[in-house]
Amino acid sequence: MTDFQPARGTRDLIGEEQRRFRHVVETARQVAATYGFDEWATPIFEDTRVFSRTMGETSDVVTKEMYTFQDRGGEGLTLRPEGTAGVCRALVSNGLTQSLPQKVFYAGPMFRYERPQKGRYRQFHQIGLELIGPAEPLADAEVIACGWHILQALGVAQDTVLELNTLGDKESRAAWREALVAYFTEHQAALSQDSLARLDRNPMRILDSKDEGDRRIVAGAPTIGAHLTEAAAAFYDGLKAHLARFGVPFVENPKIVRGLDYYVHTAFEFVTTKLGSQGTVMGGGRYDGLVAELGGPPTPAVGWAAGIERLAMLLEAPPPSAAPVAVVPVGDAAEAAALDVLQALRAAGVRAEMAYRGNLRRRMERANRIGARAAVIIGEDDLKAGVAQVKDLGSGAQDAVPLAEVAARLA
Ligand code: HAM
């Protein structure tokens, strides 16, 4: 017999872990709704070009990490490595590019062929927001404030720091790129092979390098600040002023470039020191060119995504699941009445369970094992009297309650 395990980088979510997950998603969904975001669900696989065109041909995700396959009809498909491209594709496919703004919340699985480690998986899960339409920095601030609000509602905000940067507009980036190429060319003898390859195609990627030698050179690399156009600088100042008004604390980090190529102006990450090397819990920014890459009109947009696994790990205590009520018939004759009570409890919204077999002792043992808060015991005499013994399993107190009133009593 083969001993099957989950595929490398994937996990089963059972019991407490799934409860943590659900708590993250439900909390985020609720907070996002108060900011006016509506939930969308887009397919888990898309035409490969939806991702290859938008995320950057030189990005790690596109060059090494996509789960790409041909289906039986010969279509080139990819399991989504992130949510933004799919949401923008859906905006265009559904003719919504003239119905702006669109404020989108989503949650679901994403897939990247990465080296698995704590906090990094091949199937992982994201919650995310995309605000499509507005070009104003107020939109960036609102999206970030909503993210901050979600972290607060989860009780993990105090463990994170918001790191903020601007990548400027096209003009600023071109000037900065030139300065980067000049700087890295001067130091190319010391650069890693990977970074040398990036020098021509995408020098900004070098800033993201994890290589020790590269990191030393990157430390002295020019930052975009000196190359910002007046408009780009004004945009960034506007964003910072709005964040201050929203009461969202941040630090500026000119080294934040993000791993995907579609960003302009705003780039940000909420990071934590509590998860080891995989410390980015939420990341995003502005991506004004993406909708056009997918065949829509030029459309400004800003958003973020957060790893549910990482947020779930930061949660203090998992939310408890409701303690059930155990229904305990004694003898065959009581079973029919017990089933009526069982269904009445469920109809009243009470989590209720009845064992499939066993005598009184066995059934009470099981009630304790499942953490029941109360037992509803129906014996022969009870049946004749039309009552059940409702026993509080915390205090041990017990009293007789008419069968028809049991559900109301325990609701
Ligand atoms: P990202 O930075 O690639 O951005 O991913 C966002 C978050 O997803 C990360 O900060 C991390 O918490 C989580 N994450 C990413 N990869 C993994 C992994 N292999 N295992 C576990 N968690 C992971 C995006 O995906 C953009 N779509 C964000 C965005 C939305 N930008 C604008 N709108």
Side-chain angles (χ1 to χ4, degrees), residues 138-149:
L138 175 57
D140 308 53
E142 200 179 24
V143 157
I144 294 172
C146 183
W148 168 245
H149 199 146

Side-chain angles (χ1 to χ4, degrees), residues 82 84 112 114 119 121 126 130 258 262-263 280-281 303 307:
E82 59 108 49
T84 310
R112 295 183 194 177
E114 293 194 85
Y121 310 97
Q126 285 183 341
E130 313 295 352
R258 309 274 305 128
Y262 47 58
Y263 294 107
T280 307
V281 293

Side-chain angles (χ1 to χ4, degrees), residues 156-200:
V156 305
Q158 73 286 349
D159 294 333
T160 68
V161 173
L162 167 59
E163 300 193 345
L164 188 66
N165 191 21
T166 178
L167 303 173
D169 48 19
K170 262 206 184 118
E171 231 180 290
S172 323
R173 274 163 83 108
W176 181 38
R177 186 194 156 103
E178 227 170 89
L180 282 176
V181 171
Y183 175 82
F184 286 127
T185 304
E186 206 177 296
H187 293 87
Q188 62 177 306
L191 283 180
S192 69
Q193 279 304 323
D194 271 357
S195 289
L196 271 182
R198 291 174 181 133
L199 186 50
D200 285 336

